[in-house]
Amino acid sequence: QVQPVESGGGLVQAGGSLRLSCAASRTIISINNMSWYRQAPGKQREVVAIITPGGSTNYADSVKGRFAISRDNVKNTVYLQMNGLKPEDTAVYYCNTNPRVLLSWGRGTQVTVSS
């Protein structure tokens, strides 16, 4: 299986913004729901946001109104714009298909939010 490649994470102060990117194969991104997941230390991986091939989106309650997921099928990339970041958003962020995980998990990108 081909791994997605996540990027864009970093260290930011509370209230700041980051934009994450996920590059994956065109055949996967263009026809599947894509999600951003995150895993904080000592916690299970959770779904943060999902986008359908048609562009419909949905979000975890904890990020609604602050995060926005989008996709560019030409660039084979899924994005996550994160605004109003909070310390509890600190985690490693991954992308993959949803609900079935079809890709090997990538290395993810670390997001750290300081208070």
Side-chain angles (χ1 to χ4, degrees):
Q1 289 179 323
V2 177
Q3 289 180 332
V5 178
E6 299 95 349
S7 62
L11 173 62
V12 63
Q13 288 189 330
S17 298
L18 286 172
R19 188 193 195 204
L20 307 184
S21 298
C22 166
S25 71
R26 175 176 296 179
T27 55
I28 293 295
I29 284 187
S30 62
I31 65 172
N32 287 284
N33 296 341
M34 295 297 297
S35 271
W36 280 96
Y37 301 76
R38 69 185 179 187
Q39 187 166 20
K43 295 189 177 181
Q44 287 191 332
R45 190 173 288 160
E46 62 174 352
V47 175
V48 173
I50 184 170
I51 185 165
T52 69
S56 297
T57 60
N58 206 355
Y59 301 90
D61 287 344
S62 59
V63 307
K64 228 171 249 186
R66 299 188 297 122
F67 290 10
I69 188 172
S70 60
R71 64 196 300 157
D72 185 330
N73 290 340
V74 174
K75 295 183 178 179
N76 307 325
T77 302
V78 178
Y79 303 98
L80 185 68
Q81 178 66 44
M82 305 187 297
N83 300 324
L85 282 161
K86 303 176 180 180
E88 51 263 43
D89 295 319
T90 295
V92 179
Y93 284 72
Y94 305 86
C95 70
N96 214 313
T97 53
N98 188 319
R100 285 182 61 206
V101 173
L102 300 176
L103 300 170
S104 297
W105 290 102
R107 300 176 74 173
T109 186
Q110 175 71 49
V111 172
T112 303
V113 185
S114 63
S115 57

